[in-house]
Amino acid sequence: MTASQLMIEARGVEKWYPNGFHALRGVDLSVSKGEVVVIMGPSGSGKSTFIRTFNALEEFQAGSISVDGIALSNDLRNIDAIRCETGMVFQQFNLFPHLTVLQNLCLAPVLVRKRRRAEVERQAMALLERVGIAEQAAKYPGQLSGGQQQRVAIARSLCMEPRILLFDEPTSALDPEMVGEVLEVMKALAADGMTMVVVTHEMGFAREVAHRVVLMSEGRIVEEAPPEIFFTNPQHERSRQFLAQIL
Amino acid sequence: MKAADSLLASLRRELFASRSDGVISVGLLVLIGAAVAGLLRWAFGQAQWVVIQANTTLFALGRYPLEQQWRIWLLVALLAMATGLSWGLLRANPRADRSGVLWPGNDRIAVAVLAFLAAWGPAALGLALPLQLRWWAITALLLILRWASGRWGRRLPAGLLRWVPLIWPLLYLLGMVLISGGLGLIQVPPSEWGGLLLTVLMASFAILASFPIGVLMALGRRSELPLLRWGSVLYIEFIRGAPLITLLFLGQNILGFLLPGGLAPDRVWRAAWVLTFFCGAYVAEAVRAGLASVPGGQQEAARSLGLSVPQALQHVVLPQALRIALPATVGQFISLLQDTTLLSLIGLLELLGTARTVMANPEFLGKNAEVYLTLAVLFWCCCAALGLGSRALERRLDPSNTPA
């Protein structure tokens, strides 16, 4: 693995919340180009906090993270550069309710990348086509189902043409019958070679799509293995307990 | 008529559900009927409206020079045209038709009463014929422009439509020139403005200027910079902790000490600035509530897409926060409009001040009821118009109000 292929490199990341809670206790993770890494773990294990440090939504106090070769520091230009290259999909979708679906997609490319609106709109329509909701482009997010909203959120991230996509429990807020349509979109993205870090509890997705599964517990990574090994022959007692609970 | 039937039925159910309900209903209806009858008998029999007829100009403009009054008429005509144009274009633009209903619910009653007063008021008060004609001509102008722009507004190019809202700030500047003079017009100093003119001028100035102040203070109060936050808190809490009348007196006295003679604004503008800063503190609290109601995920989503903090604020957080803050903010503006009556206590001749000078005139002694009733109706009209506008805007901005 050469250095140019490394998309995310985290070394010894430590994080304390202002209330003193030690959320991340020296976490290391490397993600190379085109890789799909699924992070699992019980709630409170720090997995969401960890993924949110990658685009500086959370600060960290010690260690280092570099994303696409750019070191995360307090330098705001670096943070803005990284945020342009990393898309993030949230559990609660976080679509902008006062804008139509199409406006949701076009806002950032026009404002941040300074691209021409007509050109961005063409690309946005193509992306909506790809996630299967082009006919909803003129509607407002509040008029869509949860699954449709999450697909719009994915398309909104893609419209910035990111090199990495971060997913923070993308299906946890969805009704069960809508989980499938979102996972389908994510599988298609993985098949296209997108670099993805996914925090999720979806076993099927992890088994089928992930190149590596990472288990976090109490702010540490306890196990890191390809899915076929992780699900059948985990090495650590903590992993066996976790799998016993969710399987 | 099915609708009438159901209205009758629901009235019967509401008023005469049981025997005791019936007794209470009849008793109250008799009381209300007697009061209304008494009011009507007084208004059309005993009341002497000559006190209003003789002082129309005074109530409208105060001591504004007679030969310069055409400027005010011109301004009113321009305002009517701008209103008609904007109103019609809003209705022509498909976004406005989201809900389909122009004036839902109780708004219809308010619109009907306003229209009735506009059409019948001048005649009922027995105003001079030229005044009545001018009034109706301006109303007709408004309605014709509203109708025409509603009919043809859709065909205008979208690029042009975007600039239409600009006529309002331009008109405001033009209005200030028309009222106060300059650019070749004779100067009319603020001390000669009065009546409804002064009331509307003070209120509209304070409304327009207090809104940006309020938004900035609300943002300052949520800022992470301690100096900014404490400055905003100090300002908001100081203003909200003092009665307006105290601040008005303070403003009249203190601005003279603070600024050297020539720089201190004259009495009218001092009062306007006090009103502005007073209203700004309350607007700040309304906007703060709006900001607090926007979920943190919105800011996070905007930032993770690469938007800067100001961009996220301008395009994502503020549009949502201001929509939520709109009803409370307009409520504040309505009470500001009513608070302008306090200016009479510091000697300005706005509506109430003018009324007091009229009632002090020996010729019209004891005509207080006529004067106060007229004032109340005038204020109601202004506040009702503000409320109607704000509710229409609320409906227009509500994303859940879109036909599927």
Side-chain angles (χ1 to χ4, degrees):
Chain A
M1 194 185 296
T2 62
S4 69
Q5 284 178 305
L6 268 186
M7 294 301 278
I8 297 176
E9 189 170 25
R11 289 279 162 264
V13 176
E14 304 263 357
K15 156 105 189 165
W16 285 267
Y17 277 106
N19 63 10
F21 179 67
H22 198 175
L24 298 175
R25 303 169 183 242
V27 189
D28 299 315
L29 185 75
S30 307
V31 181
S32 47
K33 192 167 171 25
E35 206 179 9
V36 177
V37 174
V38 166
I39 303 179
M40 296 186 145
S43 63
S45 61
K47 52 193 192 308
S48 280
T49 306
F50 187 44
I51 196 177
R52 284 158 57 90
T53 58
F54 296 164
N55 65 349
L57 283 183
E58 298 280 357
E59 295 177 329
F60 56 94
Q61 279 77 36
S64 68
I65 298 177
S66 71
V67 177
D68 198 17
I70 308 169
L72 256 183
S73 61
N74 287 330
D75 189 341
L76 287 175
R77 275 166 308 174
N78 275 0
I79 291 179
D80 285 346
I82 285 175
R83 282 179 175 154
C84 286
E85 303 307 326
T86 55
M88 186 157 212
V89 177
F90 298 87
Q91 183 176 357
Q92 300 295 340
F93 327 136
N94 293 350
L95 292 177
F96 307 134
H98 61 299
L99 301 178
T100 64
V101 166
L102 189 63
Q103 289 168 335
N104 261 279
L105 265 68
C106 297
L107 184 69
V110 169
L111 285 179
V112 181
R113 297 245 197 245
K114 312 279 181 219
R115 291 170 52 197
R116 286 193 21 248
R117 177 170 293 277
E119 173 200 319
V120 176
E121 281 183 2
R122 262 199 307 281
Q123 184 199 2
M125 287 310 295
L127 282 170
L128 288 174
E129 195 78 52
R130 189 163 148 198
V131 299
I133 34 179
E135 71 281 4
Q136 316 278 15
K139 289 197 177 170
Y140 286 84
Q143 300 169 294
L144 305 184
S145 73
Q148 289 173 323
Q149 289 193 45
Q150 194 61 299
R151 284 187 282 154
V152 172
I154 294 173
R156 181 175 69 174
S157 293
L158 290 174
C159 211
M160 280 294 279
E161 297 174 337
R163 293 157 64 81
I164 304 165
L165 269 185
L166 308 173
F167 292 83
D168 188 2
E169 306 209 26
T171 56
S172 300
L174 294 176
D175 289 338
E177 75 269 21
M178 293 172 182
V179 171
E181 60 190 68
V182 172
L183 291 180
E184 281 310 314
V185 171
M186 291 168 62
K187 284 176 195 168
L189 282 173
D192 287 350
M194 175 63 81
T195 309
M196 293 161 60
V197 181
V198 186
V199 172
T200 185
H201 296 293
E202 294 294 333
M203 294 297 137
F205 177 80
R207 270 209 182 101
E208 190 180 334
V209 183
H211 298 108
R212 240 183 322 149
V213 179
V214 171
L215 182 81
M216 286 187 73
S217 174
E218 292 170 356
R220 290 191 183 85
I221 289 181
V222 288
E223 178 126 14
E224 196 175 340
E228 54 274 16
I229 296 176
F230 181 86
F231 288 110
T232 53
N233 186 21
Q235 301 301 301
H236 294 268
E237 177 55 27
R238 190 70 192 79
S239 314
R240 281 193 281 273
Q241 281 173 5
F242 178 72
L243 288 172
Q245 276 163 4
I246 62 170
L247 286 180
Chain B
M1 289 292 284
K2 191 158 184 337
D5 281 352
S6 65
L7 181 67
L8 263 183
S10 75
L11 273 183
R12 186 176 304 151
R13 201 169 50 246
E14 259 177 61
L15 299 179
F16 301 100
S18 68
R19 188 188 302 223
S20 56
D21 276 13
V23 171
I24 295 171
S25 297
V26 169
L28 284 175
L29 285 176
V30 167
L31 271 179
I32 294 171
V36 171
L39 181 69
L40 290 179
R41 206 167 38 241
W42 171 79
F44 293 106
Q46 292 155 287
Q48 295 179 357
W49 295 105
V50 65
V51 60
I52 306 296
Q53 289 154 19
N55 295 301
T56 320
T57 318
L58 209 54
F59 279 116
L61 305 175
R63 292 189 295 132
Y64 204 86
L66 268 174
E67 70 281 1
Q68 298 298 326
Q69 276 182 17
W70 61 269
R71 282 151 57 166
I72 309 298
W73 280 107
L74 177 63
L75 179 59
V76 174
L78 288 173
L79 278 174
M81 287 165 73
T83 308
L85 193 69
S86 302
W87 183 6
L89 287 177
L90 276 178
R91 295 297 298 176
N93 180 346
R95 228 174 83 124
D97 286 324
R98 275 178 182 171
S99 63
V101 188
L102 181 50
W103 306 113
N106 295 340
D107 284 5
R108 257 181 256 175
I109 301 173
V111 169
V113 174
L114 274 178
F116 173 73
L117 282 175
W120 176 76
L125 284 173
L127 300 189
L129 194 63
L131 279 184
Q132 286 190 36
L133 290 180
R134 262 179 264 178
W135 175 257
W136 283 324
I138 285 172
T139 310
L141 202 61
L142 185 149
L143 291 177
I144 289 169
L145 263 170
R146 183 252 170 275
W147 176 78
S149 53
R151 202 176 156 89
W152 290 300
R154 211 191 285 262
R155 296 186 211 155
L156 286 174
L160 196 67
L161 283 179
R162 244 182 338 153
W163 297 106
V164 169
L166 259 186
I167 58 176
W168 286 101
L170 288 178
L171 194 56
Y172 199 84
L173 292 178
L174 180 66
M176 291 311 295
V177 171
L178 276 175
I179 292 168
S180 60
L183 299 182
L185 291 172
I186 299 168
Q187 297 278 352
V188 180
S191 54
E192 295 186 8
W193 309 344
L196 186 61
L197 171 70
L198 187 60
T199 295
V200 171
L201 205 62
M202 291 286 103
S204 63
F205 177 81
I207 285 171
L208 291 176
S210 68
F211 186 66
I213 291 178
V215 173
L216 287 178
M217 287 297 152
L219 291 174
R221 194 164 186 170
R222 290 167 61 87
S223 164
E224 285 170 10
L225 305 172
L227 204 63
L228 215 57
R229 189 172 61 242
W230 287 110
S232 307
V233 169
L234 207 66
Y235 165 79
I236 294 170
E237 295 307 329
F238 170 72
I239 298 277
R240 297 206 314 156
L244 175 56
I245 186 68
T246 321
L247 294 173
L248 281 171
F249 278 120
L250 197 64
Q252 291 300 318
N253 293 308
I254 215 169
L255 281 179
F257 298 135
L258 289 182
L259 300 165
L263 277 181
D266 95 309
R267 281 168 6 108
V268 174
W269 285 115
R270 281 182 212 181
W273 280 110
V274 172
L275 279 178
T276 303
F277 285 117
F278 179 79
C279 188
Y282 288 86
V283 171
E285 286 301 278
V287 173
R288 186 166 71 107
L291 285 170
S293 70
V294 177
Q298 291 290 311
Q299 169 91 354
E300 281 186 355
R303 300 284 284 134
S304 72
L305 283 167
L307 270 66
S308 64
V309 172
Q311 283 174 332
L313 206 58
Q314 183 193 344
H315 295 278
V316 175
V317 178
L318 270 183
Q320 299 180 55
L322 292 183
R323 184 179 75 76
I324 294 164
L326 182 70
T329 308
V330 174
Q332 203 50 56
F333 291 160
I334 287 174
S335 51
L336 174 77
L337 181 68
Q338 296 166 353
D339 284 345
T340 56
T341 48
L342 287 175
L343 297 180
S344 67
L345 295 185
I346 55 168
L348 298 190
L349 296 180
E350 44 66 71
L351 264 181
L352 187 62
T354 308
R356 281 152 54 114
T357 60
V358 166
M359 290 181 297
N361 184 341
E363 204 181 323
F364 303 114
L365 229 43
K367 300 289 174 289
N368 296 9
E370 289 86 343
V371 171
Y372 282 129
L373 185 68
T374 311
L375 242 55
V377 170
L378 268 177
F379 270 106
W380 180 83
C381 289
C382 295
C383 294
L386 264 179
L388 282 173
S390 107
R391 283 190 294 279
L393 193 61
E394 244 174 274
R395 282 193 300 278
R396 185 177 161 77
L397 294 178
D398 186 357
S400 68
N401 204 359
T402 320

